[in-house]
Amino acid sequence: MSGVARYDALLRDAAVALTAAGIDNARFEARLLLAHAGGVTSEWLIAHGDEVAAPAVAEAVRALTARRIRREPMAYVLGEREFWGLPFKVSPAVLVPRPDSETLIEAALALMPGRTEPWRILDLGVGSGCLLLTLLREFPNARGIGMDVSPAALAVAEANADALGVGARVSLVGGDWQEPGWAGRLGGPFDLLVSNPPYIETSAIEGLMPDVGRFEPRLALDGGGDGLSAYRAIAGGAAGLVVPGGRVLVEAGEGQAPEISALFSLAGFAVEAPWKDLGGIDRIVAATH
Ligand code: GLN
């Protein structure tokens, strides 16, 4: 098959291929892929479907569709995902930002009084930067440190910090909470510590949806045998990092909030009732030093 193809035909072909591969929302995704391939918006496609696409666009949309059919997450195929209404660049080096994690932002806005205070914020396992950089946008005088063990993740976070206009208020540093002395190297102290650490039990990773288990970084998912190893390390360092009266907000996997709460209680924090995500799951453990 060659020759000219109209955008509508390319859209239909992509949607048919995605449907055949068992992907939900095939037409919606097909439109996003075609828009990305053509360097246009979805709205433009709706108005201009009868126009002829350049051969390079046809080739590009087929390549993107093939990646999606192999279950690569849309966010990686498109290189971007929205979080809290902001565009975040993503790569396979970082976890895809998820709506459930927006619950942490809601909790921070509710618990940290004063939008204009110069809060010092620490994000452990900063990944794409979706938590820390969103907080820096919401708190315009805050400064942040984002730590990650992955240099490739730090590069993504740095690109996002610059694109979102908060680069001057953030430091992105390499570090591993499983190494002795990690917390002491971060400077601080901090008014707010946030983290969405890896929390999947090692044995459960193979059973995750293929989009997640095969493509998202194991470093960002694998929480050790019981899923809680990162929280143990973070709770161990938290008292030395967070000022008296300061807050900790950490994302929790389903059913993990009680155990995570116990770890922070043992570390000398007053733990509140967890914040629920939109699915009603206890998603964010909130604690005060
Ligand atoms: N929310 C992710 C999932 O359920 C896991 C993220 C994490 O381990 N922090 O797949």
Side-chain angles (χ1 to χ4, degrees), residues 85-155:
L86 298 169
F88 281 86
K89 299 176 208 302
V90 296
S91 83
V94 302
L95 197 71
V96 175
R98 288 161 165 69
D100 290 341
S101 303
E102 293 181 347
T103 313
L104 189 148
I105 306 296
E106 286 170 26
L109 294 179
L111 295 172
M112 300 302 286
R115 283 293 185 101
T116 56
E117 295 294 317
W119 303 123
R120 295 156 297 179
I121 305 173
L122 173 65
D123 185 342
L124 295 173
V126 67
S128 66
C130 65
L131 295 176
L132 180 62
L133 304 178
T134 299
L135 291 170
L136 293 180
R137 293 276 296 218
E138 293 289 340
F139 296 102
N141 297 316
R143 304 187 73 83
I145 293 183
M147 184 185 99
D148 208 287
V149 70
S150 158
L154 290 168

Side-chain angles (χ1 to χ4, degrees), residues 67-284:
R67 286 171 64 187
R68 182 62 186 132
I69 284 171
R70 291 193 291 273
R71 295 287 163 163
E72 185 168 347
M74 277 298 273
Y76 295 152
V77 177
L78 300 175
E80 190 174 286
R81 171 55 48 94
E82 184 190 295
F83 181 83
W84 200 259
L86 298 169
F88 281 86
K89 299 176 208 302
V90 296
S91 83
V94 302
L95 197 71
V96 175
R98 288 161 165 69
D100 290 341
S101 303
E102 293 181 347
T103 313
L104 189 148
I105 306 296
E106 286 170 26
L109 294 179
L111 295 172
M112 300 302 286
R115 283 293 185 101
T116 56
E117 295 294 317
W119 303 123
R120 295 156 297 179
I121 305 173
L122 173 65
D123 185 342
L124 295 173
V126 67
S128 66
C130 65
L131 295 176
L132 180 62
L133 304 178
T134 299
L135 291 170
L136 293 180
R137 293 276 296 218
E138 293 289 340
F139 296 102
N141 297 316
R143 304 187 73 83
I145 293 183
M147 184 185 99
D148 208 287
V149 70
S150 158
L154 290 168
V156 174
E158 189 168 347
N160 281 320
D162 291 338
L164 293 169
V166 299
R169 291 187 285 127
V170 70
S171 303
L172 297 160
V173 300
D176 181 353
W177 53 58
Q178 302 296 359
E179 276 181 11
W182 65 272
R185 291 192 278 273
L186 287 170
F190 299 93
D191 303 293
L192 173 62
L193 186 168
V194 301
S195 184
N196 174 14
Y199 55 63
I200 308 292
E201 294 173 21
T202 304
S203 62
I205 290 182
E206 292 311 314
L208 294 173
M209 281 164 54
D211 310 38
V212 178
R214 289 215 311 263
F215 289 96
E216 296 203 74
R218 203 176 173 100
L219 264 178
L221 294 172
D222 189 345
D226 68 354
L228 298 173
S229 72
Y231 299 99
R232 281 192 197 89
I234 292 170
L241 287 167
V242 178
V243 294
R247 307 277 191 175
V248 169
L249 293 170
V250 291
E251 180 166 326
E254 187 169 0
Q256 292 175 327
E259 288 164 292
I260 296 166
S261 298
L263 290 171
F264 282 97
S265 292
L266 267 172
F269 285 75
V271 181
E272 293 135 49
W275 288 65
K276 290 185 190 301
D277 66 21
L278 290 174
I281 291 166
D282 287 337
R283 186 58 72 189
I284 304 299

Side-chain angles (χ1 to χ4, degrees), residues 108 110 288:
T288 307

